[in-house]
Structure formats: structure tokens, C-alpha cells
Amino acid sequence: SALYVLPPGFVESSCRSRIFWMKLNKLLLQGKFFQLEIYDPYSGPVLLDEKLASRCGYVLSEDVWGNPIFRASVIGCHVANEADELFSLTVNIKVSSFASMRAAVTYTYPMYCSYASWASREIVCEENYMEVSVKTDVPAVSNDYTVAWMSALPETQNVAYQQWQLMFVSPSGRKRITVSDAVKLGYSFNNTLSRVYLRAPYRSNESDISVVSGVNMNMVTSTSMYRQRWLLLLIDTTVSCPVDGVSFTDTALTWTVPRVIPTLVVQESTFLSTNIVMGVDDQVIVNPKEKNYLLEHNETHIRITIPVGADGGKLESSISGGVYGILYSIDLFLEHTWIDAGWQTTKYTVIKSITTPFMPQIPTVINNTVPEERLFNVALGHFLPDVSLVAIAIGNVPFTQREAQHHGFKIYETPFSNRTKGFILEVSFDDPYVLKEYVNRNETKYTLLVNYTLSVGPEMTLYYHSAEVECVIADIEVPEAVGYCDEENLYLTLPTFGLHQYWDLYLGNKLLSRHLALTNGYLAATNSTHLILQIPLFAGGLIYEEVSFQKIKARFDVALRKLRTMEILQMFSISCTFNSSAFIICHPDGTIMISAQMKTVPAIDMSKTKLRDSSCKPREYNEAHAFFKFHVTTCGTSVRFEGDHIIYENEISYEKETLPGQSMPIITRDPDYRLTVLCYYQAKETLVLGAFSSDPATSPRFGSGTMVPHSSTAAYRRVRQALNVVSRVSKDESFMEFYEPNMAILKQPVEPVFLEVELKDESPNVELYLENCWVARSPDFNSTPRWNITV
């Protein structure tokens, strides 16, 4: 690979507490691969790997923002050392577009650090190694021997390996090994001009875990020994570093380090802290309170508390188990300097990268809808800046953002005060994908069903969130009807808005459909805004409030009912009085009313007209009209069946005058007059009749009660032993399913009862007339109270 000039802004470096600190800009490494080589001035480049890093005092990781970070101890391998004051290290940065690193571009980057203020003992607790460095003060025998003493120290690495030995003390016992054997175990030991250092991996066979003030410490107890003919040098190279001590709440993280570590302090009574500082990345935080950090210490602990989301760290969105949440990461370091009688000054540095556990943050749907604007305004939040909206689905219809904007939806981001954001969605009430439901009397419930698809975090993980927003507004006008009459018809006019969409017209319990209107003889016409209903005077479904031979007062009632609930919203009623000379009205209850106009020559006396039963005379009459009112079971009315109809027949006749004492008229000027009256009824027609109580003082409220149907066979046999009559109650008007005998049936007021009565007699001369039906509390015919269910 060739050497190239570094791009501007690609590398930043600094020296912090005898550590080389280098950061690479991730933006210039996008889509590329890189490697680091340590350039040794004697042997050339050495590829940095994990094993080499922990043994030689290197760390290769990333900061919280994803930038590659390289840290190196100034007394690490391949570092040029000038009198323990000036240090230099050269790093080759190889960048390639291929994972195989072929065609790599190599950038050479030298780093320089000066560090002259060494403490008697310095300990560094890095991510992947522990390092202790001890000053080797050996008193001189005389000035003449100073040069000889210095020359007696190992001059090369080979000599050092031959002369130095290490003794480890662990729970398993003591172990003394040579430096070369220690290297095979992952340790690194060497000496400089004035110092001896030991670098150890975490959790080695020679290490031990001890708990100090509630914090687990990884400890390597060792003594470094150097022997010459006239000298035995023993140096305590024990090192102890925390391996946990981090705790979390929903709002903060706390890092705890023991203030006094017994294995590092010989005489605790002489211990005195002289300086405690904290830092983030490679920068010392002079005033932690300015950044809302809390640095505190007592006799046993040093604590650093960082609020989640504080400056210097990074909040990052994440998905766990389909749940949205956040992670907060920060790179901290702590420097604690103390003095004690055994060691004079100790400088203790701990570097700690901390990431919180996954903290669920369930998004909130904020409904900012203003009903008067007829516009849904829905905010979904709170999200970190690394979340983006990918798509939405309205009523299960998917839209990309561009498609949504094109359709007419409005989508935009809105910032919140806590450095989070939300996504605003605006949808018109009138959009076809908004669900609409008619509720209450004059209100519409608009429902917006939204499914959000969001891209979360640097991994761009897809996250789905659904929301349902409702708004109920009074935006429906219940129609009012207008009625009028002419000489032969009643008219009802009402707006067609909402008809068949929100409500329908009902005649009694039957839907006023086009078929029913035609069957009853109504004429219906519609224009763009209104329905006009024409009801002839003698059409079906009219209520005759007053009938005489002079006038008819007819009323037409129609109910406006909600489609789903059948609730009556409005009753439309029109009542008019008509003059009619001749008519016949057949009531559902069997009452027949006839206004007969007699046009005979010569005229007859209308008071002498009668029905088949001569006792049935006209109720009212004048010179030309006679008015009769009777029931189909009286006045000699006959009945016959034709197809699906029951036909009741009677006739109006004139009673001729006879001479006294004569059985037959001899001479008369009275004309022969006979008028046949027919009423047709559907054989299977369900009629809703009003119920009334025969004993108001003791009976339950109008029309209520429990009815127990019984076979009426026995009862009828007591009255008419020759008849075999059976009655049943049907569950509906189809008469397909029936209630079991002796089963309690609960009915509400004015609710229809579907009753079937069957005559089991096979005689062709026997006919069944149903005169009275009632409900009582017992099978006894005479029990009270009782409620009539047919009239």
C-alpha cells in the first residue's frame, strides 16, 4: 500500500494523563474498512490485534458517537521513551474499500506526549488491561558508583528478561515465574530509566476478585524482583481495578469507586486524598455542576452521577421485543490522587465506558384535534432525533410519505422542549379513509386508525405503532317533516339527507320500503333534496281517529328510526279531516265501519236500513246516508277463506213496510235495496295492537309482565268439549320457531307477541274464530289481573 496525506479532519489526538488518545472521524470511513498498525522503530509495522492490545497497553474501541478511538499507554510497547519525559508513537492507518484490505491506502500518523510529573506509583484501569508503574529509587553507594549502578540495570530487553522475576500471590498460593513466562500468560513487564511497570489482563489465573465497599475489584498481587551480585531489589507491583460499581435509575446512572483500596494502601491511618477529578472522553470536567454532573465522595466512596441525556453522552433509540426505548452512553474517567506513608503519592486513573440498560419509552399519542376545523391533528412522540417516519397506514391502507402528501394528508415533524421530537399527522374528517359512525341523536363519531412505521436508531430497525383517535361532533341535522292534505290524500314531505344512511322510516314495526309503500297504495316521489309521500285516504296504515257519515278524521304516523339501534328519533304525524259520502273501513281489530250512500228511486228511509242481524241498525243517518259500525263476529257477519285471505261478509238491506196483520207486503212503494259489504284480511298477518290492563290498581305498569303460554286444549274442552284447540307462541313473525310450553317469556311494552291458534278438529263444517286472548298469572280463566293481547 502507498502512503498518502491525511484528509483534513480525519484524525484528532491528544495526551491525557500519560495516555495517547486518538480519534478517527467515522464520516470519512463510511463504506470502508480500516486497520491500525503500530510502527516499531526497530522492527517496523506491527498489526494491532486484541491479544497485542491488552498486553502492550492499547485500546481500540468506539466513542459513544461511533468514531473509532485508539488509546495507548506512554509506557506501552513500541513507544519511544526519552528519559521518561518525552514519548512518541507512530500509527499507520490503513483504509480500504474491501474487507480483505487489498488496495489499501496507508496514512502515517505520529503522536507525541510529554509527561514529567510522575507520581511514585501510577495505576491505570483501562477497558482491557490493568497497569501499575512504580518509581525505582535506589540509594547510591557513592557518587563514584552512580554510573556503575545505572549500568548495572538491564540495558536491553533480553537482559531484563534474564534478571527480573515476578512473584504472584493468589488464593491458590505463591507462584514465582520469569518475565518471559509472564509474557506467555498475557502479562507485560519491563523497566524504564526510572520506573518498573507491570501490565496485567483482567481475570487471569493469578488474579482474585475481592469486594471493597460494595464494589467488586479485580486484583493481582505481585512483587517484582531484581537480583545482582550485590543487590536484591523488591518492588510491590500490586494492582487492583473495579469491575462494576455502576447502577441505574430511570433518570440517572451512578458510577461508584472505592475511595480507599486496602491492597493499595499499607497504612490506612495515613491515607489522605489530595485530588479527585472526573472527565468525559479525554477532557477534564473542571466544574461538573455546570453540566449537571454530580461528583461526590465520603470516607468510603467516590461517586459520579450523570443524568440520562446529559451533555457529553449520547442518547440512542433502540427496539427490544418490539418495544421502543432508549440507551444512554457516556465515556468517563476518574483520577484520584492520594498520599500515604507507604507510597508517598499514588495516582489512580480509571477509564469507564457506561451504557444504560434498555429503557422503554412508550410513545404517546397526543390528540390536538379541533372539532370546529373538522381536521384530525395527531402528534406521536416523544422520539430522539435518530427516529424517522417511513410510512403510515390509514384504515389499513398503506401510504409512503410522498403518497400520503399527494393524497392530502399533512405530515411534519415538531420539536419538543426536551430535545425530542414528534410527528404530526393532519387528516380531514371527510377523508374516505376516516371511519364515520352515526351516534346519539345528531352526532357523528369520526375514527382515525393509524399505523406508523418508523426507522429507529443507527441500525434503522423498523418499529410499528398504532393509534386510534376519535372525535364526536354534532354535525347532523335530524330532519323535520311537513304535512298537508288535499281532498283525497295526505302528504308528507321530508329531507332525503341521511335517509338510508343514518336512519329509515318505519310504519309501525315495518320498514317503509318501496314494496310496502306500493302494497299499501302510497305514492312516493323524490327530488334532489326531499321525499314526498302521498297517502290516499283509504290506503293501508292509516289511523282513523273519528269516523261518521259526515266526515273522517284520518292520521298517518311514521317513525324516524336509527339504522342500527332502531331508536326512534322523531315521530312524524299528519292528521286531516275529510268529507266522504261513501266508504268502508276494515280495522285490524275486526271493526268494520261503513258509510253507505243510498241512491234509490223513490228514496228510502235510511233509519230503516239494517245488517243481516236486524238488530244492527245504523249509528247515524240522514236522508241519503247511513253509518254502520260493527265487529266481524257480530251482526250476522259470515266468514270464508279464499287463498291467503279471510273474507268477512255482511249486507245492508232495507226493511220494507208491511200492512198491519199481514205477513207479506201486499202493496208497497219501497224499492228493493241490498248492499253487500266485504272485508279482506291477510290470513297470516302480524298486527301490533295496544295492550291495556283490566285492573289498573293492582296490575303491573302498562303492558309489562311475564307470560307463560299453555296448551289451551284442556281449557277449551271445559267450555266446549267438542273442540280440540292448541295455541303456541312463536319467537318471531316467521312462525318457524316456537317457545316451549311452560317457558317464561319476557316482553316489553308494545312489543309484539306472535300467537298461533290451531283448530285440530277435522270436521269441514267447523271454523275457528279467535275472539279474546289475554295474559294472566295463572291458567285459571277467571284469574286477575289480566292483560288483553288481542282486541
Side-chain angles (χ1 to χ4, degrees):
S1 60
L3 296 178
Y4 290 84
V5 178
L6 280 168
F10 182 36
V11 182
E12 295 179 19
S13 64
S14 62
C15 295
R16 174 68 233 160
S17 184
R18 71 179 187 81
I19 293 176
F20 293 104
W21 212 298
M22 183 179 77
K23 178 174 74 173
L24 304 182
N25 189 337
K26 69 173 183 178
L27 297 178
L28 298 178
L29 289 171
Q30 285 185 347
K32 299 183 182 299
F33 303 88
F34 79 95
Q35 288 179 346
L36 296 185
E37 290 178 340
I38 310 302
Y39 185 79
D40 188 290
Y42 301 104
S43 59
V46 178
L47 183 64
L48 178 63
D49 59 22
E50 184 177 342
K51 186 175 180 181
L52 177 70
S54 62
R55 185 172 61 82
C56 285
Y58 304 140
V59 173
L60 181 60
S61 64
E62 289 185 351
D63 65 8
V64 296
W65 309 105
N67 297 302
I69 295 293
F70 171 72
R71 292 193 297 271
S73 170
V74 296
I75 53 176
C77 307
H78 317 296
V79 176
N81 181 346
E82 296 183 22
D84 286 340
E85 292 184 1
L86 297 176
F87 306 92
S88 63
L89 178 65
T90 300
V91 179
N92 288 338
I93 307 167
K94 301 179 69 175
V95 180
S96 173
S97 299
F98 307 98
S100 63
M101 296 306 295
R102 65 184 176 89
V105 175
T106 300
Y107 304 103
T108 299
Y109 188 79
M111 293 183 287
Y112 304 93
C113 282
S114 62
Y115 186 70
S117 57
W118 288 93
S120 300
R121 177 175 60 176
E122 295 205 3
I123 295 175
V124 174
C125 300
E126 257 286 12
E127 291 182 20
N128 58 342
Y129 67 87
M130 304 180 293
E131 182 182 87
V132 57
S133 162
V134 179
K135 188 175 182 180
T136 55
D137 286 333
V138 180
V141 177
S142 67
N143 289 337
D144 297 336
Y145 289 101
T146 300
V147 176
W149 159 248
M150 294 307 296
S151 64
L153 288 172
E155 295 176 359
T156 65
Q157 189 170 338
N158 291 333
V159 176
Y161 286 169
Q162 292 173 1
Q163 302 300 325
W164 285 94
Q165 288 188 329
L166 301 175
M167 183 173 67
F168 295 100
V169 179
S170 65
S172 60
R174 296 174 180 268
K175 179 192 295 185
R176 190 172 68 177
I177 59 176
T178 62
V179 172
S180 59
D181 290 336
V183 170
K184 296 176 183 177
L185 296 175
Y187 295 93
S188 180
F189 176 86
N190 212 331
N191 65 293
T192 65
L193 183 65
S194 61
R195 307 186 71 80
V196 169
Y197 65 85
L198 173 69
R199 194 173 300 113
Y202 285 93
R203 305 189 187 280
S204 65
N205 291 335
E206 294 73 33
S207 65
D208 187 26
I209 297 292
S210 62
V211 180
V212 179
S213 300
V215 178
N216 286 322
M217 306 291 291
N218 189 239
M219 178 179 60
V220 175
T221 303
S222 66
T223 301
S224 302
M225 300 177 294
Y226 179 77
R227 181 184 297 275
Q228 280 285 15
R229 288 191 298 271
W230 63 86
L231 175 67
L232 176 62
L233 185 61
L234 302 178
I235 300 176
D236 185 358
T237 48
T238 296
V239 62
S240 182
C241 289
V243 294
D244 54 20
V246 181
S247 59
F248 305 95
T249 67
D250 291 340
T251 57
L253 61 87
T254 300
W255 180 27
T256 302
V257 176
R259 183 167 176 263
V260 180
I261 304 169
T263 55
L264 302 181
V265 178
V266 178
Q267 299 181 38
E268 291 189 29
S269 60
T270 63
F271 176 87
L272 178 64
S273 291
T274 58
N275 191 33
I276 300 176
V277 296
M278 66 165 289
V280 175
D281 296 326
D282 60 343
Q283 300 297 316
V284 172
I285 306 299
V286 178
N287 188 353
K289 289 185 179 179
E290 288 183 353
K291 294 183 174 293
N292 291 324
Y293 304 157
L294 179 61
L295 174 61
E296 56 185 348
H297 57 86
N298 54 26
E299 293 298 320
T300 58
H301 296 93
I302 301 171
R303 285 194 179 91
I304 297 174
T305 301
I306 309 291
V308 171
D311 289 342
K314 181 189 179 185
L315 275 172
E316 182 176 289
S317 298
S318 182
I319 302 296
S320 178
V323 177
Y324 173 78
I326 60 173
L327 303 171
Y328 177 69
S329 303
I330 190 168
D331 295 332
L332 299 174
F333 71 82
L334 172 70
E335 285 185 358
H336 180 199
T337 304
W338 71 78
I339 59 174
D340 67 273
W343 278 101
Q344 296 179 358
T345 303
T346 297
K347 188 175 183 180
Y348 189 79
T349 302
V350 186
I351 299 175
K352 188 77 170 177
S353 295
I354 301 174
T355 299
T356 65
F358 177 79
M359 293 182 287
Q361 303 284 312
I362 306 301
T364 303
V365 176
I366 306 166
N367 186 6
N368 297 318
T369 299
V370 180
E372 292 76 15
E373 298 178 358
R374 296 185 61 82
L375 189 71
F376 281 109
N377 184 297
V378 182
L380 178 67
H382 299 65
F383 294 105
L384 296 180
D386 60 357
V387 175
S388 59
L389 182 62
V390 176
I392 61 169
I394 306 294
N396 293 324
V397 179
F399 295 90
T400 64
Q401 282 212 60
R402 177 173 294 184
E403 291 170 343
Q405 300 282 2
H406 181 73
H407 179 79
F409 303 142
K410 194 172 180 181
I411 303 173
Y412 55 94
E413 292 186 5
T414 181
F416 295 125
S417 59
N418 57 355
R419 293 187 294 179
T420 61
K421 68 178 180 181
F423 300 98
I424 303 291
L425 172 64
E426 292 183 358
V427 178
S428 170
F429 284 2
D430 302 313
D431 190 272
Y433 297 113
V434 172
L435 302 181
K436 303 166 186 69
E437 181 184 0
Y438 173 47
V439 296
N440 304 323
R441 178 178 175 81
N442 62 336
E443 294 175 328
T444 305
K445 180 170 74 172
Y446 297 93
T447 303
L448 179 66
L449 300 176
V450 190
N451 287 301
Y452 297 88
T453 302
L454 302 111
S455 174
V456 175
E459 294 82 13
M460 302 179 70
T461 306
L462 292 183
Y463 169 68
Y464 306 95
H465 189 84
S466 60
E468 180 175 336
V469 183
E470 294 179 352
C471 186
V472 178
I473 58 174
D475 60 353
I476 294 179
E477 184 177 352
V478 178
E480 295 290 339
V482 176
Y484 57 94
C485 299
D486 60 16
E487 294 180 354
E488 297 179 348
N489 303 280
L490 298 88
Y491 295 89
L492 195 67
T493 303
L494 73 157
T496 54
F497 168 77
L499 197 61
H500 312 312
Q501 179 184 4
Y502 301 131
W503 42 66
D504 266 323
L505 293 174
Y506 276 79
L507 186 62
N509 283 330
K510 290 185 177 181
L511 174 67
L512 185 52
S513 62
R514 183 174 297 273
H515 174 73
L516 180 62
L518 290 174
T519 302
N520 285 358
Y522 309 156
L523 294 177
T526 58
N527 57 25
S528 59
T529 59
H530 286 77
L531 166 70
I532 304 171
L533 200 62
Q534 176 185 331
I535 307 101
L537 172 60
F538 297 110
L542 269 72
I543 299 169
Y544 299 97
E545 297 178 306
E546 184 179 343
V547 180
S548 70
F549 71 95
Q550 293 178 334
K551 65 179 180 180
I552 299 175
K553 186 176 181 181
R555 189 179 84 238
F556 180 71
D557 293 336
V558 65
L560 190 71
R561 291 178 181 265
K562 290 177 67 173
L563 281 183
R564 294 186 179 179
T565 64
M566 297 296 291
E567 173 191 351
I568 296 178
L569 298 170
Q570 202 87 291
M571 284 295 300
F572 302 132
S573 182
I574 177 172
S575 178
C576 293
T577 301
F578 297 87
N579 295 320
S580 183
S581 57
F583 59 83
I584 177 170
I585 298 175
C586 304
H587 276 280
D589 64 356
T591 301
I592 299 176
M593 291 181 287
I594 306 168
S595 176
Q597 184 179 18
M598 308 300 189
K599 294 181 180 180
T600 61
V601 177
I604 61 176
D605 185 355
M606 302 304 291
S607 65
K608 295 181 179 179
T609 56
K610 64 179 180 65
L611 297 175
R612 283 177 177 169
D613 185 341
S614 59
S615 64
C616 293
K617 301 287 187 179
R619 298 277 185 105
E620 298 178 64
Y621 57 89
N622 60 15
E623 293 179 353
H625 293 81
F627 176 71
F628 292 89
K629 182 178 181 181
F630 60 96
H631 195 268
V632 295
T633 58
T634 61
C635 298
T637 306
S638 63
V639 62
R640 69 178 186 272
F641 291 87
E642 288 187 8
D644 292 335
H645 288 81
I646 303 175
I647 303 175
Y648 294 96
E649 181 178 331
N650 210 317
E651 63 181 16
I652 303 173
S653 61
Y654 175 66
E655 186 177 342
K656 295 181 179 181
E657 291 186 350
T658 60
L659 294 174
Q662 301 292 326
S663 60
M664 296 294 291
I666 300 173
I667 300 175
T668 177
R669 297 181 65 243
D670 295 336
D672 188 19
Y673 181 84
R674 218 173 272 277
L675 178 64
T676 302
V677 177
L678 300 174
C679 272
Y680 291 80
Y681 289 90
Q682 289 284 341
K684 288 187 177 181
E685 184 174 19
T686 302
L687 302 176
V688 180
L689 305 174
F692 64 91
S693 170
S694 60
D695 187 358
T698 59
S699 301
R701 60 186 177 86
F702 174 80
S704 66
T706 301
M707 178 171 66
V708 182
H710 292 273
S711 172
S712 57
T713 303
Y716 271 85
R717 282 177 177 168
R718 288 199 297 271
V719 180
R720 298 175 181 175
Q721 296 295 329
L723 294 181
N724 183 8
V725 178
V726 177
S727 64
R728 297 186 296 176
V729 177
S730 174
K731 293 184 177 180
D732 55 37
E733 59 187 352
S734 68
F735 289 91
M736 299 297 291
E737 293 185 63
F738 295 87
Y739 292 103
E740 294 294 330
N742 301 316
M743 177 181 177
I745 306 170
L746 181 62
K747 292 290 182 180
Q748 298 298 325
V750 199
E751 188 176 356
V753 176
F754 303 100
L755 183 64
E756 178 187 87
V757 181
E758 182 181 3
L759 176 63
K760 294 290 188 178
D761 199 305
E762 296 182 357
S763 172
N765 299 321
V766 178
E767 295 180 346
L768 174 65
Y769 292 91
L770 189 64
E771 182 174 354
N772 290 309
C773 290
W774 65 90
V775 178
R777 292 182 174 176
S778 73
D780 185 359
F781 276 9
N782 299 317
S783 66
T784 59
R786 72 182 192 178
W787 298 268
N788 289 347
I789 58 173
T790 65
V791 181

